[in-house]
Amino acid sequence: MWEAAALLLLLLLLLPLSLVLLPRFRREAALQPAGRAVLITGCDSGFGQLLALRLHRLGFTVFAGCLCPGGEGARRLQREAATCSGRLRVLQLDVTRERDVAAAKEVVLSNLPETGFWGLVNNAGISTFGRVVFMSSTTAYFTLGNGIYSMTKAALEKFCDCLRLEMKKFGVLVCVIQPGNYSRSTNIQPPVNAEQIWNELNEEEKAVYNKEYVKRFSDFFNNILKEGSTTAHEVVDVMVEALISPAPKARYMVAKLKEKLLVLICTIFPTVVMDSFLSYALSKVNLT
């Protein structure tokens, strides 16, 4: 018992010191982008594409992985690349295909600038060594009808905790970006259609979830999507900071106040409090 008390006292004594020292570290000059290469996955649209454009304009050498290299998003990047030959290259990269990953690795290693490979942004999901930035979400802490997405982000958070400690001895920094609701600016999830969902259910599922329930759920989910931020620059700002700061944070949460409060409730209060809070929210639209 006394050991736990001593540890708590030590942490309380170190907290004021950390609050004084950390801002000093963060005021150090940002790293110079020139000659540094960054690979970004998922650049067809959303955060990945915006980050590729931002880093290119800052002076980085950018390898932009696109699922559809012939799509509009990739064409926009190629138009950007034409303004400064050689510093932005669009790659065919489906991160679920080993052949694409191997080919992308070969292109990157064959076209590195003088400073070499600096960072990897796992916007779509891929892992290797370098300063690594992962895209998570505030839904890693809670779920409201998006269980599979929340589950993958929660797993990603724990993977990053492990990777951050393992890579520390190699001098590799691992950062996690935790955006809130940016569905309107990224179109990560288009509005759902109740009729389409209903038609895709089998007879057993229809017997459990009646059509009215599906309609209420789709309306509830679409209302959440409508509340999403229409601009994504705040998220791209912290992605850039994670790449160029001499002392980047382990986690960057970019969310509205109410989303941050919800995360706080989920992390510091007992599970029963979280469940009660979320159940109350769902009950307001008759989903419990």
Side-chain angles (χ1 to χ4, degrees):
M1 180 64 72
W2 67 269
E3 292 177 343
L7 179 59
L8 178 59
L9 179 60
L10 178 61
L11 291 174
L12 290 174
L13 291 173
L14 289 176
L15 180 59
L17 181 62
S18 67
L19 293 176
V20 172
L21 292 179
L22 282 178
R24 293 184 181 178
F25 285 122
R26 305 204 187 283
R27 283 197 296 268
E28 293 180 22
L31 299 168
Q32 295 303 309
R36 298 180 188 272
V38 177
L39 170 62
I40 311 168
T41 64
C43 293
D44 298 85
S45 61
F47 296 134
Q49 183 176 114
L50 293 173
L51 181 63
L53 294 170
R54 175 80 68 86
L55 293 183
H56 179 247
R57 291 165 188 171
L58 285 174
F60 281 96
T61 296
V62 178
F63 296 93
C66 290
L67 182 63
C68 302
E72 177 53 36
R75 289 199 297 271
R76 181 186 179 191
L77 293 172
Q78 288 163 348
R79 289 193 295 269
E80 172 82 9
T83 66
C84 189
S85 178
R87 279 202 303 104
L88 195 157
R89 185 185 294 258
V90 176
L91 308 177
Q92 161 72 50
L93 184 53
D94 178 347
V95 297
T96 66
R97 299 177 62 186
E98 290 187 15
R99 183 175 62 184
D100 279 11
V101 174
K105 177 182 176 182
E106 185 65 30
V107 170
V108 171
L109 293 179
S110 300
N111 295 276
L112 289 176
E114 59 273 16
T115 307
F117 189 69
W118 172 248
L120 167 67
V121 180
N122 289 285
N123 184 56
I126 183 175
S127 182
T128 186
F129 300 132
R131 179 173 293 198
V132 191
V133 180
F134 287 88
M135 289 301 294
S136 183
S137 170
T138 54
T139 59
Y141 298 93
F142 62 88
T143 179
L144 281 172
N146 54 348
I148 295 177
Y149 186 75
S150 295
M151 177 182 67
T152 61
K153 293 305 183 184
L156 176 66
E157 291 275 341
K158 293 307 173 186
F159 171 70
C160 290
D161 286 342
C162 176
L163 187 65
R164 185 174 61 253
L165 295 175
E166 288 183 4
M167 293 296 100
K168 189 173 182 180
K169 66 179 179 179
F170 300 110
V172 177
L173 303 178
V174 177
C175 307
V176 180
I177 313 296
Q178 301 169 320
N181 185 356
Y182 282 84
S183 55
R184 293 177 66 190
S185 56
T186 63
N187 199 33
I188 188 173
Q189 171 62 61
V192 297
N193 183 289
E195 193 67 28
Q196 181 180 353
I197 294 174
W198 179 255
N199 291 335
E200 291 176 354
L201 298 180
N202 58 42
E203 293 304 316
E204 182 179 357
E205 291 167 334
K206 287 180 178 179
V208 176
Y209 298 99
N210 60 58
K211 196 169 187 178
E212 178 58 28
Y213 179 90
V214 172
K215 177 66 167 60
R216 288 197 302 268
F217 176 82
S218 61
D219 289 344
F220 170 74
F221 197 72
N222 286 335
N223 285 332
I224 292 178
L225 295 178
K226 289 178 182 178
E227 294 179 358
S229 176
T230 57
T231 59
H233 64 85
E234 303 101 331
V235 179
V236 177
D237 288 345
V238 299
M239 295 170 80
V240 172
E241 180 182 338
L243 284 167
I244 69 175
S245 171
K249 299 177 183 178
R251 282 178 168 81
Y252 294 86
M253 184 175 293
V254 194
K256 295 177 181 177
L257 179 59
K258 66 178 182 180
E259 292 170 323
K260 291 181 178 179
L261 289 175
L262 185 54
V263 169
L264 185 65
I265 291 172
C266 294
T267 52
I268 69 173
F269 287 94
T271 302
V272 65
V273 176
M274 178 187 72
D275 286 353
S276 298
F277 182 86
L278 297 179
S279 294
Y280 174 77
L282 292 173
S283 69
K284 301 299 288 185
V285 287
N286 297 318
L287 291 177
T288 57

